[in-house]
Amino acid sequence: AAGVIQSPRHLIKEKRETATLKCYPIPRHDTVYWYQQGPGQDPQFLISFYEKMQSDKGSIPDRFSAQQFSDYHSELNMSSLELGDSALYFCASSLDRGNYGYTFGSGTRLTVV
Amino acid sequence: GIQVEQSPPDLILQEGANSTLRCNFSDSVNNLQWFHQNPWGQLINLFYIPSGTKQNGRLSATTVATERYSLLYISSSQTTDSGVYFCAVERVNGNQFYFGTGTSLTVIP
């Protein structure tokens, strides 16, 4: 079965650079969520989209933005990167706003140096 | 938000032993999932279990929604079971997951 695809798997950026993470949800899933997991931490919710509209917003810094496109894939754009942005970034997708559970991608490990 | 507490925070088992992991949550939920995060960081969905009991091989889970807790049972543990186990919940009328702080499991040969 198709899963949630995230790219790239690993990314190394320097401070103040920008990064774009991509997420391709499971076909026919209408909701996408982004989570950030710092070292030794539990995943923290950043933002979600339902039917291409922003649905909910968590602890997402103003330097970050995200959108969901017409084909339902989503991109998380991160600017003016800081060392503290180094983390594992997960995307998850669901059908009908999570009423059938969430499926997580394998994550993108971002390292800011 | 909703508070999600997991216990124990750390667990070391001898291979072949059984264990029970607990997840308590502070509000009514319509979605609860257990995940295993392997040493490579991947979050593997174990159970979607907002209520009731499910079993999958050596793993089983029970959620008692009215009492706001869920249990994950691991029987005959193997070294490959090592990693962090997360419980995550979604409130009724909510649309985001709240993760617990996890249980770090180490299974030694």
Side-chain angles (χ1 to χ4, degrees):
Chain A
V4 177
I5 307 297
Q6 289 188 247
S7 67
R9 290 295 302 276
H10 303 274
L11 190 58
I12 300 175
K13 290 284 186 178
E14 294 188 355
K15 281 193 306 183
R16 294 180 289 279
E17 283 192 316
T18 61
T20 298
L21 310 185
K22 296 185 178 182
C23 170
Y24 296 87
I26 290 175
R28 293 187 299 279
H29 277 196
D30 51 23
T31 311
V32 167
Y33 314 81
W34 286 97
Y35 282 80
Q36 178 192 56
Q37 185 180 24
Q41 305 295 314
D42 54 282
Q44 296 293 315
F45 172 72
L46 293 178
I47 195 168
S48 63
F49 293 88
Y50 171 66
E51 285 291 347
K52 292 159 280 185
M53 298 290 289
Q54 183 179 308
S55 174
D56 203 359
K57 203 170 182 179
S59 50
I60 184 169
D62 292 339
R63 299 177 290 108
F64 294 7
S65 64
Q67 57 183 323
Q68 187 177 28
F69 294 86
S70 57
D71 64 351
Y72 290 91
H73 94 272
S74 179
E75 295 184 3
L76 178 65
N77 299 293
M78 310 159 70
S79 63
S80 302
L81 287 170
E82 302 173 356
L83 296 178
D85 296 329
S86 296
L88 195 52
Y89 290 83
F90 287 104
C91 171
S93 73
S94 71
L95 182 63
D96 193 22
R97 296 195 181 209
N99 284 325
Y100 301 93
Y102 293 43
T103 301
F104 279 78
S106 296
T108 293
R109 190 173 295 278
L110 172 66
T111 303
V112 182
V113 297
Chain B
I2 186 171
Q3 305 303 312
V4 185
E5 297 179 351
Q6 290 186 242
S7 60
D10 299 280
L11 187 58
I12 299 175
L13 294 177
Q14 198 79 39
E15 197 169 26
N18 302 328
S19 63
T20 301
L21 282 55
R22 187 176 179 103
C23 172
N24 292 331
F25 42 95
S26 61
D27 204 348
S28 299
V29 301
N30 62 359
N31 186 353
L32 186 149
Q33 288 179 247
W34 282 96
F35 295 92
H36 174 217
Q37 187 164 40
N38 62 26
W40 296 271
Q42 292 179 308
L43 274 175
I44 309 299
N45 180 52
L46 299 176
F47 293 102
Y48 167 71
I49 188 164
S51 64
T53 297
K54 290 186 178 179
Q55 180 158 4
N56 184 5
R58 297 181 297 103
L59 302 181
S60 64
T62 295
T63 297
V64 184
T66 52
E67 297 186 23
R68 300 181 182 171
Y69 74 88
S70 182
L71 302 174
L72 177 69
Y73 306 95
I74 304 174
S75 64
S76 304
S77 57
Q78 300 175 357
T79 55
T80 52
D81 294 333
S82 296
V84 181
Y85 289 80
F86 286 106
C87 162
V89 303
E90 182 182 49
R91 274 187 312 190
V92 174
N93 297 322
N95 55 4
Q96 63 172 277
F97 251 170
Y98 292 89
F99 280 79
T101 50
T103 293
S104 178
L105 173 65
T106 304
V107 180
I108 55 178

